[in-house]
Amino acid sequence: MTTASDLAGATWRKSSYSDGGANNCVEISDGFPGAVPVRDSKYPEGPVLLFPAAVWSDFIGGVRADRLR
């Protein structure tokens, strides 16, 4: 299980689906087996959402297939 202290050394990268503008800045961190931490890059000290890897994969699949509207 990933804990808040595990995220202290996380390396974050901007999602390729973020437009780079001020409103769509999602960052994710890799390297957490079974989990995908997600945060808003405008608030790096703010909350982190932690998704099960399978759920995140399904979400990204829906984005790529343009099924999410």
Side-chain angles (χ1 to χ4, degrees):
M1 173 179 248
T2 303
T3 66
S5 61
D6 293 333
L7 297 174
T11 301
W12 296 92
R13 65 178 174 88
K14 189 168 284 195
S15 168
S16 61
Y17 285 88
S18 291
D19 69 5
N23 295 323
N24 296 318
C25 302
V26 174
E27 291 182 325
I28 63 172
S29 184
D30 299 314
F32 295 91
V36 179
V38 180
R39 72 178 184 182
D40 183 339
S41 66
K42 294 183 301 298
Y43 304 106
E45 301 302 322
V48 173
L49 298 173
L50 194 60
F51 293 94
V55 171
W56 184 254
S57 180
D58 287 346
F59 169 72
I60 294 302
V63 169
R64 288 182 178 150
D66 201 26
R67 292 190 311 252
L68 304 176
R69 291 187 181 238

CSV table of all heavy atoms in Angstrom, one decimal:
chain,number,residue,atom,x,y,z
A,1,MET,N,0.8,-1.2,0.0
A,1,MET,CA,0.0,0.0,0.0
A,1,MET,C,0.9,1.2,0.0
A,1,MET,O,1.9,1.3,0.7
A,1,MET,CB,-0.9,0.0,1.2
A,1,MET,CG,-1.7,1.3,1.4
A,1,MET,SD,-2.8,1.2,2.8
A,1,MET,CE,-4.3,1.2,1.9
A,2,THR,N,0.5,2.2,-0.8
A,2,THR,CA,1.3,3.5,-0.9
A,2,THR,C,0.8,4.4,0.1
A,2,THR,O,-0.4,4.6,0.3
A,2,THR,CB,1.1,4.1,-2.3
A,2,THR,OG1,1.6,3.1,-3.3
A,2,THR,CG2,1.9,5.3,-2.5
A,3,THR,N,1.7,5.0,0.9
A,3,THR,CA,1.3,6.0,1.9
A,3,THR,C,1.8,7.4,1.5
A,3,THR,O,2.6,7.6,0.6
A,3,THR,CB,1.9,5.6,3.3
A,3,THR,OG1,3.3,5.7,3.2
A,3,THR,CG2,1.5,4.2,3.7
A,4,ALA,N,1.4,8.4,2.3
A,4,ALA,CA,1.8,9.8,2.0
A,4,ALA,C,3.3,9.9,2.1
A,4,ALA,O,3.9,10.6,1.4
A,4,ALA,CB,1.1,10.7,3.0
A,5,SER,N,3.9,9.2,3.1
A,5,SER,CA,5.4,9.3,3.2
A,5,SER,C,6.1,8.7,2.0
A,5,SER,O,7.2,9.1,1.6
A,5,SER,CB,5.9,8.6,4.5
A,5,SER,OG,5.5,7.3,4.5
A,6,ASP,N,5.5,7.7,1.3
A,6,ASP,CA,6.0,7.1,0.1
A,6,ASP,C,6.1,8.1,-1.0
A,6,ASP,O,7.0,8.1,-1.9
A,6,ASP,CB,5.2,5.9,-0.4
A,6,ASP,CG,5.2,4.7,0.6
A,6,ASP,OD1,6.2,4.6,1.3
A,6,ASP,OD2,4.3,4.0,0.6
A,7,LEU,N,5.2,9.1,-1.0
A,7,LEU,CA,5.1,10.1,-2.1
A,7,LEU,C,6.1,11.2,-1.9
A,7,LEU,O,6.3,12.0,-2.8
A,7,LEU,CB,3.7,10.6,-2.2
A,7,LEU,CG,2.6,9.6,-2.5
A,7,LEU,CD1,1.2,10.2,-2.5
A,7,LEU,CD2,2.8,9.0,-3.9
A,8,ALA,N,6.8,11.3,-0.8
A,8,ALA,CA,7.7,12.4,-0.5
A,8,ALA,C,8.8,12.4,-1.5
A,8,ALA,O,9.2,13.5,-1.9
A,8,ALA,CB,8.3,12.3,0.9
A,9,GLY,N,9.3,11.3,-2.0
A,9,GLY,CA,10.3,11.3,-3.0
A,9,GLY,C,9.9,11.1,-4.4
A,9,GLY,O,10.7,10.8,-5.3
A,10,ALA,N,8.6,11.2,-4.7
A,10,ALA,CA,8.0,10.9,-6.0
A,10,ALA,C,8.6,11.9,-7.0
A,10,ALA,O,8.8,13.1,-6.7
A,10,ALA,CB,6.5,11.1,-5.9
A,11,THR,N,8.8,11.4,-8.2
A,11,THR,CA,9.1,12.2,-9.4
A,11,THR,C,7.9,12.4,-10.2
A,11,THR,O,7.3,11.4,-10.6
A,11,THR,CB,10.2,11.5,-10.2
A,11,THR,OG1,11.4,11.3,-9.4
A,11,THR,CG2,10.6,12.3,-11.4
A,12,TRP,N,7.5,13.6,-10.4
A,12,TRP,CA,6.3,13.9,-11.1
A,12,TRP,C,6.5,14.3,-12.6
A,12,TRP,O,7.5,14.9,-12.9
A,12,TRP,CB,5.6,15.1,-10.4
A,12,TRP,CG,5.2,14.7,-9.0
A,12,TRP,CD1,5.9,14.9,-7.9
A,12,TRP,CD2,4.0,14.0,-8.6
A,12,TRP,NE1,5.2,14.4,-6.8
A,12,TRP,CE2,4.0,13.8,-7.2
A,12,TRP,CE3,2.8,13.6,-9.3
A,12,TRP,CZ2,3.0,13.2,-6.5
A,12,TRP,CZ3,1.8,13.0,-8.6
A,12,TRP,CH2,1.9,12.8,-7.2
A,13,ARG,N,5.6,13.9,-13.4
A,13,ARG,CA,5.7,14.3,-14.8
A,13,ARG,C,4.3,14.8,-15.3
A,13,ARG,O,3.3,14.3,-14.8
A,13,ARG,CB,6.2,13.2,-15.7
A,13,ARG,CG,5.2,12.0,-15.8
A,13,ARG,CD,5.8,10.9,-16.7
A,13,ARG,NE,5.0,9.8,-16.7
A,13,ARG,CZ,4.0,9.5,-17.5
A,13,ARG,NH1,3.6,10.4,-18.4
A,13,ARG,NH2,3.3,8.4,-17.4
A,14,LYS,N,4.3,15.8,-16.1
A,14,LYS,CA,3.0,16.3,-16.6
A,14,LYS,C,2.4,15.3,-17.6
A,14,LYS,O,3.1,14.8,-18.4
A,14,LYS,CB,3.2,17.7,-17.3
A,14,LYS,CG,1.9,18.4,-17.7
A,14,LYS,CD,2.2,19.8,-18.1
A,14,LYS,CE,2.5,20.6,-16.8
A,14,LYS,NZ,2.4,22.0,-17.0
A,15,SER,N,1.1,15.1,-17.5
A,15,SER,CA,0.4,14.2,-18.3
A,15,SER,C,0.5,14.7,-19.8
A,15,SER,O,0.4,15.9,-20.0
A,15,SER,CB,-1.1,14.1,-17.9
A,15,SER,OG,-1.8,13.5,-18.9
A,16,SER,N,0.7,13.8,-20.7
A,16,SER,CA,0.7,14.2,-22.1
A,16,SER,C,-0.6,14.8,-22.6
A,16,SER,O,-0.7,15.4,-23.6
A,16,SER,CB,1.1,13.0,-23.0
A,16,SER,OG,0.2,12.0,-22.9
A,17,TYR,N,-1.7,14.6,-21.8
A,17,TYR,CA,-3.0,15.1,-22.2
A,17,TYR,C,-3.2,16.5,-21.6
A,17,TYR,O,-4.3,17.1,-21.9
A,17,TYR,CB,-4.1,14.1,-21.7
A,17,TYR,CG,-4.2,12.9,-22.7
A,17,TYR,CD1,-3.4,11.8,-22.4
A,17,TYR,CD2,-5.0,12.9,-23.8
A,17,TYR,CE1,-3.4,10.7,-23.3
A,17,TYR,CE2,-5.0,11.9,-24.7
A,17,TYR,CZ,-4.2,10.8,-24.4
A,17,TYR,OH,-4.3,9.7,-25.2
A,18,SER,N,-2.3,17.0,-20.8
A,18,SER,CA,-2.5,18.4,-20.3
A,18,SER,C,-2.1,19.3,-21.4
A,18,SER,O,-1.1,19.0,-22.2
A,18,SER,CB,-1.5,18.6,-19.1
A,18,SER,OG,-2.0,17.9,-18.0
A,19,ASP,N,-2.8,20.4,-21.6
A,19,ASP,CA,-2.6,21.3,-22.7
A,19,ASP,C,-1.4,22.2,-22.4
A,19,ASP,O,-1.1,23.0,-23.3
A,19,ASP,CB,-3.8,22.0,-23.1
A,19,ASP,CG,-4.3,23.0,-22.1
A,19,ASP,OD1,-3.6,23.2,-21.1
A,19,ASP,OD2,-5.4,23.6,-22.4
A,20,GLY,N,-0.9,22.2,-21.3
A,20,GLY,CA,0.2,23.1,-21.0
A,20,GLY,C,-0.2,24.5,-20.5
A,20,GLY,O,0.5,25.3,-20.1
A,21,GLY,N,-1.5,24.7,-20.6
A,21,GLY,CA,-2.1,26.0,-20.1
A,21,GLY,C,-2.3,26.1,-18.6
A,21,GLY,O,-2.0,25.1,-17.9
A,22,ALA,N,-2.9,27.1,-18.2
A,22,ALA,CA,-3.1,27.3,-16.7
A,22,ALA,C,-4.2,26.5,-16.2
A,22,ALA,O,-4.3,26.3,-15.0
A,22,ALA,CB,-3.3,28.8,-16.5
A,23,ASN,N,-5.1,25.9,-17.0
A,23,ASN,CA,-6.2,25.3,-16.5
A,23,ASN,C,-6.2,23.7,-16.5
A,23,ASN,O,-6.9,23.1,-15.8
A,23,ASN,CB,-7.5,25.7,-17.3
A,23,ASN,CG,-7.8,27.2,-17.1
A,23,ASN,OD1,-7.6,27.7,-16.0
A,23,ASN,ND2,-8.2,27.8,-18.1
A,24,ASN,N,-5.3,23.1,-17.3
A,24,ASN,CA,-5.3,21.7,-17.4
A,24,ASN,C,-3.9,21.2,-17.1
A,24,ASN,O,-3.1,20.8,-18.0
A,24,ASN,CB,-5.7,21.3,-18.8
A,24,ASN,CG,-7.1,21.6,-19.1
A,24,ASN,OD1,-8.0,21.5,-18.2
A,24,ASN,ND2,-7.4,22.1,-20.3
A,25,CYS,N,-3.5,21.1,-15.9
A,25,CYS,CA,-2.2,20.7,-15.5
A,25,CYS,C,-2.2,19.5,-14.5
A,25,CYS,O,-2.2,19.7,-13.3
A,25,CYS,CB,-1.4,21.9,-14.8
A,25,CYS,SG,-1.3,23.4,-15.9
A,26,VAL,N,-2.3,18.4,-15.1
A,26,VAL,CA,-2.3,17.2,-14.3
A,26,VAL,C,-0.9,16.5,-14.4
A,26,VAL,O,-0.3,16.4,-15.4
A,26,VAL,CB,-3.3,16.2,-14.9
A,26,VAL,CG1,-3.3,14.8,-14.2
A,26,VAL,CG2,-4.7,16.8,-14.8
A,27,GLU,N,-0.4,16.1,-13.2
A,27,GLU,CA,0.9,15.4,-13.1
A,27,GLU,C,0.6,14.1,-12.5
A,27,GLU,O,-0.2,13.9,-11.6
A,27,GLU,CB,1.8,16.2,-12.2
A,27,GLU,CG,2.3,17.5,-12.9
A,27,GLU,CD,3.3,18.2,-12.0
A,27,GLU,OE1,3.2,18.2,-10.8
A,27,GLU,OE2,4.2,18.8,-12.6
A,28,ILE,N,1.4,13.1,-13.0
A,28,ILE,CA,1.3,11.8,-12.4
A,28,ILE,C,2.7,11.3,-12.0
A,28,ILE,O,3.7,11.9,-12.5
A,28,ILE,CB,0.7,10.7,-13.4
A,28,ILE,CG1,1.5,10.6,-14.6
A,28,ILE,CG2,-0.7,11.2,-13.7
A,28,ILE,CD1,1.0,9.5,-15.5
A,29,SER,N,2.8,10.3,-11.2
A,29,SER,CA,4.1,9.8,-10.8
A,29,SER,C,4.1,8.3,-11.1
A,29,SER,O,3.1,7.6,-10.8
A,29,SER,CB,4.3,10.0,-9.3
A,29,SER,OG,5.6,9.6,-8.9
A,30,ASP,N,5.2,7.8,-11.6
A,30,ASP,CA,5.3,6.4,-11.9
A,30,ASP,C,6.1,5.7,-10.8
A,30,ASP,O,6.7,6.4,-10.0
A,30,ASP,CB,6.1,6.2,-13.3
A,30,ASP,CG,5.3,6.8,-14.4
A,30,ASP,OD1,4.1,6.6,-14.5
A,30,ASP,OD2,6.0,7.5,-15.3
A,31,GLY,N,6.1,4.4,-10.8
A,31,GLY,CA,7.0,3.7,-9.9
A,31,GLY,C,6.3,3.2,-8.6
A,31,GLY,O,7.0,2.9,-7.7
A,32,PHE,N,5.0,3.3,-8.6
A,32,PHE,CA,4.3,2.8,-7.4
A,32,PHE,C,3.5,1.6,-7.8
A,32,PHE,O,2.4,1.8,-8.4
A,32,PHE,CB,3.4,3.9,-6.9
A,32,PHE,CG,4.2,5.1,-6.3
A,32,PHE,CD1,4.5,6.2,-7.1
A,32,PHE,CD2,4.6,5.1,-5.0
A,32,PHE,CE1,5.3,7.2,-6.7
A,32,PHE,CE2,5.4,6.1,-4.5
A,32,PHE,CZ,5.7,7.2,-5.3
A,33,PRO,N,3.9,0.4,-7.6
A,33,PRO,CA,3.2,-0.8,-8.0
A,33,PRO,C,1.8,-0.8,-7.6
A,33,PRO,O,1.5,-0.6,-6.4
A,33,PRO,CB,4.0,-1.9,-7.4
A,33,PRO,CG,5.4,-1.4,-7.1
A,33,PRO,CD,5.1,0.1,-6.8
A,34,GLY,N,0.9,-1.0,-8.5
A,34,GLY,CA,-0.5,-1.1,-8.2
A,34,GLY,C,-1.2,0.2,-8.0
A,34,GLY,O,-2.4,0.3,-7.7
A,35,ALA,N,-0.5,1.4,-8.1
A,35,ALA,CA,-1.2,2.7,-7.8
A,35,ALA,C,-0.6,3.7,-8.7
A,35,ALA,O,0.5,3.7,-9.1
A,35,ALA,CB,-0.9,3.1,-6.3
A,36,VAL,N,-1.4,4.8,-9.0
A,36,VAL,CA,-1.0,5.9,-9.8
A,36,VAL,C,-1.4,7.2,-9.0
A,36,VAL,O,-2.5,7.5,-8.9
A,36,VAL,CB,-1.6,5.9,-11.2
A,36,VAL,CG1,-1.2,7.1,-12.0
A,36,VAL,CG2,-1.3,4.6,-11.9
A,37,PRO,N,-0.4,7.9,-8.4
A,37,PRO,CA,-0.6,9.1,-7.8
A,37,PRO,C,-0.8,10.2,-8.8
A,37,PRO,O,-0.1,10.3,-9.8
A,37,PRO,CB,0.7,9.4,-7.0
A,37,PRO,CG,1.5,8.2,-7.0
A,37,PRO,CD,1.0,7.4,-8.2
A,38,VAL,N,-1.8,11.1,-8.6
A,38,VAL,CA,-2.2,12.2,-9.5
A,38,VAL,C,-2.3,13.5,-8.7
A,38,VAL,O,-2.9,13.5,-7.6
A,38,VAL,CB,-3.5,11.9,-10.2
A,38,VAL,CG1,-3.9,13.0,-11.2
A,38,VAL,CG2,-3.4,10.5,-11.0
A,39,ARG,N,-1.8,14.6,-9.2
A,39,ARG,CA,-2.0,15.9,-8.5
A,39,ARG,C,-2.1,17.0,-9.5
A,39,ARG,O,-1.8,16.8,-10.7
A,39,ARG,CB,-0.8,16.1,-7.6
A,39,ARG,CG,0.5,16.5,-8.4
A,39,ARG,CD,1.7,16.8,-7.4
A,39,ARG,NE,2.8,17.2,-8.2
A,39,ARG,CZ,4.0,17.5,-7.6
A,39,ARG,NH1,4.1,17.4,-6.3
A,39,ARG,NH2,5.0,17.9,-8.4
A,40,ASP,N,-2.5,18.1,-9.1
A,40,ASP,CA,-2.6,19.3,-9.8
A,40,ASP,C,-1.3,20.1,-9.8
A,40,ASP,O,-0.8,20.4,-8.7
A,40,ASP,CB,-3.7,20.2,-9.3
A,40,ASP,CG,-4.0,21.5,-10.0
A,40,ASP,OD1,-3.1,21.9,-10.8
A,40,ASP,OD2,-5.1,22.0,-9.9
A,41,SER,N,-0.6,20.3,-10.9
A,41,SER,CA,0.7,20.9,-10.9
A,41,SER,C,0.7,22.3,-10.4
A,41,SER,O,1.7,22.8,-10.0
A,41,SER,CB,1.3,20.8,-12.3
A,41,SER,OG,0.6,21.6,-13.2
A,42,LYS,N,-0.4,23.0,-10.4
A,42,LYS,CA,-0.5,24.3,-9.9
A,42,LYS,C,-0.4,24.4,-8.4
A,42,LYS,O,-0.1,25.4,-7.8
A,42,LYS,CB,-1.8,25.0,-10.3
A,42,LYS,CG,-1.9,25.2,-11.8
A,42,LYS,CD,-3.2,26.0,-12.2
A,42,LYS,CE,-4.5,25.3,-11.9
A,42,LYS,NZ,-4.8,24.0,-12.4
A,43,TYR,N,-0.7,23.2,-7.7
A,43,TYR,CA,-0.7,23.1,-6.3
A,43,TYR,C,0.1,21.9,-5.9
A,43,TYR,O,-0.4,20.9,-5.3
A,43,TYR,CB,-2.1,23.0,-5.7
A,43,TYR,CG,-3.0,24.1,-6.2
A,43,TYR,CD1,-3.9,24.0,-7.1
A,43,TYR,CD2,-2.8,25.4,-5.6
A,43,TYR,CE1,-4.7,25.0,-7.6
A,43,TYR,CE2,-3.6,26.5,-6.0
A,43,TYR,CZ,-4.6,26.3,-7.0
A,43,TYR,OH,-5.3,27.3,-7.4
A,44,PRO,N,1.5,21.9,-6.1
A,44,PRO,CA,2.3,20.7,-5.9
A,44,PRO,C,2.3,20.3,-4.4
A,44,PRO,O,2.5,19.1,-4.1
A,44,PRO,CB,3.7,21.1,-6.3
A,44,PRO,CG,3.7,22.6,-6.4
A,44,PRO,CD,2.3,23.0,-6.7
A,45,GLU,N,2.0,21.2,-3.5
A,45,GLU,CA,2.0,20.8,-2.1
A,45,GLU,C,0.5,20.4,-1.6
A,45,GLU,O,0.3,20.1,-0.5
A,45,GLU,CB,2.5,22.0,-1.2
A,45,GLU,CG,3.9,22.4,-1.5
A,45,GLU,CD,4.9,21.3,-1.4
A,45,GLU,OE1,4.8,20.5,-0.4
A,45,GLU,OE2,5.8,21.2,-2.2
A,46,GLY,N,-0.4,20.5,-2.6
A,46,GLY,CA,-1.8,20.1,-2.3
A,46,GLY,C,-2.0,18.6,-2.2
A,46,GLY,O,-1.1,17.8,-2.2
A,47,PRO,N,-3.3,18.3,-2.3
A,47,PRO,CA,-3.7,16.9,-2.1
A,47,PRO,C,-3.3,16.1,-3.4
A,47,PRO,O,-3.1,16.6,-4.5
A,47,PRO,CB,-5.2,16.9,-2.0
A,47,PRO,CG,-5.6,18.2,-2.6
A,47,PRO,CD,-4.5,19.1,-2.4
A,48,VAL,N,-3.1,14.8,-3.1
A,48,VAL,CA,-2.8,13.8,-4.2
A,48,VAL,C,-3.9,12.8,-4.2
A,48,VAL,O,-4.3,12.3,-3.2
A,48,VAL,CB,-1.4,13.1,-3.9
A,48,VAL,CG1,-1.2,12.0,-4.9
A,48,VAL,CG2,-0.3,14.1,-4.0
A,49,LEU,N,-4.4,12.5,-5.4
A,49,LEU,CA,-5.3,11.4,-5.6
A,49,LEU,C,-4.6,10.2,-5.9
A,49,LEU,O,-3.7,10.2,-6.8
A,49,LEU,CB,-6.3,11.8,-6.7
A,49,LEU,CG,-7.2,13.0,-6.5
A,49,LEU,CD1,-8.0,13.3,-7.7
A,49,LEU,CD2,-8.1,12.8,-5.3
A,50,LEU,N,-4.9,9.1,-5.3
A,50,LEU,CA,-4.2,7.8,-5.5
A,50,LEU,C,-5.2,6.8,-6.1
A,50,LEU,O,-6.2,6.4,-5.5
A,50,LEU,CB,-3.6,7.3,-4.2
A,50,LEU,CG,-2.6,6.2,-4.3
A,50,LEU,CD1,-1.4,6.6,-5.1
A,50,LEU,CD2,-2.2,5.8,-2.9
A,51,PHE,N,-5.0,6.5,-7.4
A,51,PHE,CA,-5.9,5.6,-8.1
A,51,PHE,C,-5.3,4.2,-8.2
A,51,PHE,O,-4.1,4.1,-8.5
A,51,PHE,CB,-6.1,6.1,-9.6
A,51,PHE,CG,-6.9,7.4,-9.6
A,51,PHE,CD1,-6.3,8.6,-9.7
A,51,PHE,CD2,-8.3,7.4,-9.6
A,51,PHE,CE1,-7.0,9.8,-9.7
A,51,PHE,CE2,-9.0,8.5,-9.6
A,51,PHE,CZ,-8.4,9.8,-9.7
A,52,PRO,N,-6.1,3.2,-8.1
A,52,PRO,CA,-5.6,1.8,-8.4
A,52,PRO,C,-5.1,1.8,-9.9
A,52,PRO,O,-5.8,2.4,-10.8
A,52,PRO,CB,-6.8,0.9,-8.2
A,52,PRO,CG,-7.7,1.7,-7.3
A,52,PRO,CD,-7.5,3.1,-7.7
A,53,ALA,N,-4.0,1.2,-10.2
A,53,ALA,CA,-3.4,1.2,-11.5
A,53,ALA,C,-4.4,0.7,-12.6
A,53,ALA,O,-4.5,1.3,-13.7
A,53,ALA,CB,-2.2,0.3,-11.6
A,54,ALA,N,-5.2,-0.3,-12.3
A,54,ALA,CA,-6.2,-0.8,-13.3
A,54,ALA,C,-7.3,0.2,-13.6
A,54,ALA,O,-7.7,0.4,-14.8
A,54,ALA,CB,-6.9,-2.1,-12.8
A,55,VAL,N,-7.7,1.0,-12.6
A,55,VAL,CA,-8.7,2.0,-12.8
A,55,VAL,C,-8.1,3.1,-13.6
A,55,VAL,O,-8.8,3.7,-14.6
A,55,VAL,CB,-9.2,2.6,-11.4
A,55,VAL,CG1,-10.1,3.8,-11.6
A,55,VAL,CG2,-10.0,1.5,-10.7
A,56,TRP,N,-6.9,3.5,-13.3
A,56,TRP,CA,-6.2,4.6,-14.1
A,56,TRP,C,-6.1,4.1,-15.6
A,56,TRP,O,-6.3,4.9,-16.5
A,56,TRP,CB,-4.9,4.9,-13.5
A,56,TRP,CG,-4.2,6.1,-14.2
A,56,TRP,CD1,-3.1,6.0,-15.1
A,56,TRP,CD2,-4.6,7.5,-14.2
A,56,TRP,NE1,-2.8,7.3,-15.5
A,56,TRP,CE2,-3.7,8.2,-15.0
A,56,TRP,CE3,-5.6,8.2,-13.5
A,56,TRP,CZ2,-3.8,9.6,-15.2
A,56,TRP,CZ3,-5.6,9.5,-13.7
A,56,TRP,CH2,-4.7,10.2,-14.5
A,57,SER,N,-5.7,2.9,-15.8
A,57,SER,CA,-5.5,2.4,-17.1
A,57,SER,C,-6.8,2.4,-17.9
A,57,SER,O,-6.9,2.8,-19.1
A,57,SER,CB,-5.0,1.0,-17.1
A,57,SER,OG,-4.8,0.4,-18.3
A,58,ASP,N,-7.9,2.0,-17.3
A,58,ASP,CA,-9.2,2.1,-17.9
A,58,ASP,C,-9.6,3.6,-18.2
A,58,ASP,O,-10.1,3.8,-19.3
A,58,ASP,CB,-10.3,1.5,-17.0
A,58,ASP,CG,-10.2,0.0,-16.9
A,58,ASP,OD1,-9.5,-0.6,-17.7
A,58,ASP,OD2,-10.9,-0.5,-16.0
A,59,PHE,N,-9.3,4.5,-17.3
A,59,PHE,CA,-9.6,5.9,-17.6
A,59,PHE,C,-8.8,6.4,-18.8
A,59,PHE,O,-9.4,7.0,-19.7
A,59,PHE,CB,-9.3,6.7,-16.3
A,59,PHE,CG,-9.3,8.2,-16.6
A,59,PHE,CD1,-10.5,8.9,-16.8
A,59,PHE,CD2,-8.1,8.9,-16.6
A,59,PHE,CE1,-10.5,10.2,-17.0
A,59,PHE,CE2,-8.1,10.3,-16.9
A,59,PHE,CZ,-9.3,11.0,-17.0
A,60,ILE,N,-7.5,6.1,-18.8
A,60,ILE,CA,-6.7,6.6,-20.0
A,60,ILE,C,-7.1,5.9,-21.3
A,60,ILE,O,-7.2,6.6,-22.3
A,60,ILE,CB,-5.2,6.2,-19.7
A,60,ILE,CG1,-4.7,7.1,-18.5
A,60,ILE,CG2,-4.3,6.5,-20.9
A,60,ILE,CD1,-4.8,8.6,-18.7
A,61,GLY,N,-7.6,4.7,-21.2
A,61,GLY,CA,-8.1,4.0,-22.4
A,61,GLY,C,-9.3,4.7,-22.9
A,61,GLY,O,-9.5,4.9,-24.1
A,62,GLY,N,-10.2,5.2,-22.0
A,62,GLY,CA,-11.4,5.9,-22.4
A,62,GLY,C,-11.0,7.3,-23.0
A,62,GLY,O,-11.7,7.7,-24.0
A,63,VAL,N,-10.0,7.9,-22.4
A,63,VAL,CA,-9.6,9.2,-23.0
A,63,VAL,C,-9.0,9.0,-24.4
A,63,VAL,O,-9.4,9.7,-25.3
A,63,VAL,CB,-8.5,9.9,-22.1
A,63,VAL,CG1,-7.9,11.1,-22.8
A,63,VAL,CG2,-9.1,10.3,-20.8
A,64,ARG,N,-8.2,8.0,-24.6
A,64,ARG,CA,-7.6,7.8,-25.9
A,64,ARG,C,-8.6,7.4,-26.9
A,64,ARG,O,-8.5,7.7,-28.1
A,64,ARG,CB,-6.5,6.7,-25.8
A,64,ARG,CG,-5.3,7.2,-25.1
A,64,ARG,CD,-4.3,6.1,-25.0
A,64,ARG,NE,-3.1,6.6,-24.4
A,64,ARG,CZ,-2.2,5.9,-23.7
A,64,ARG,NH1,-2.4,4.6,-23.5
A,64,ARG,NH2,-1.2,6.4,-23.2
A,65,ALA,N,-9.7,6.7,-26.5
A,65,ALA,CA,-10.7,6.3,-27.4
A,65,ALA,C,-11.8,7.3,-27.6
A,65,ALA,O,-12.8,7.1,-28.3
A,65,ALA,CB,-11.4,5.0,-26.9
A,66,ASP,N,-11.6,8.5,-26.9
A,66,ASP,CA,-12.6,9.6,-27.0
A,66,ASP,C,-14.0,9.2,-26.5
A,66,ASP,O,-15.0,9.6,-27.1
A,66,ASP,CB,-12.6,10.2,-28.4
A,66,ASP,CG,-13.1,11.6,-28.4
A,66,ASP,OD1,-13.0,12.3,-27.4
A,66,ASP,OD2,-13.7,12.0,-29.5
A,67,ARG,N,-14.0,8.3,-25.5
A,67,ARG,CA,-15.3,7.9,-25.0
A,67,ARG,C,-15.8,8.7,-23.8
A,67,ARG,O,-16.9,8.5,-23.3
A,67,ARG,CB,-15.2,6.4,-24.5
A,67,ARG,CG,-15.0,5.4,-25.6
A,67,ARG,CD,-15.1,4.0,-25.1
A,67,ARG,NE,-14.3,3.7,-23.9
A,67,ARG,CZ,-13.2,3.0,-23.9
A,67,ARG,NH1,-12.8,2.4,-25.0
A,67,ARG,NH2,-12.5,2.8,-22.8
A,68,LEU,N,-14.9,9.6,-23.3
A,68,LEU,CA,-15.3,10.4,-22.1
A,68,LEU,C,-15.7,11.8,-22.6
A,68,LEU,O,-15.0,12.6,-23.0
A,68,LEU,CB,-14.1,10.5,-21.2
A,68,LEU,CG,-13.6,9.2,-20.7
A,68,LEU,CD1,-12.3,9.4,-19.9
A,68,LEU,CD2,-14.6,8.4,-20.0
A,69,ARG,N,-17.0,12.0,-22.5
A,69,ARG,CA,-17.5,13.4,-22.8
A,69,ARG,C,-18.6,13.8,-21.8
A,69,ARG,O,-19.3,13.1,-21.3
A,69,ARG,CB,-18.1,13.3,-24.2
A,69,ARG,CG,-17.1,13.2,-25.2
A,69,ARG,CD,-17.7,13.3,-26.6
A,69,ARG,NE,-16.6,13.1,-27.6
A,69,ARG,CZ,-16.3,14.0,-28.5
A,69,ARG,NH1,-16.9,15.1,-28.6
A,69,ARG,NH2,-15.3,13.7,-29.3
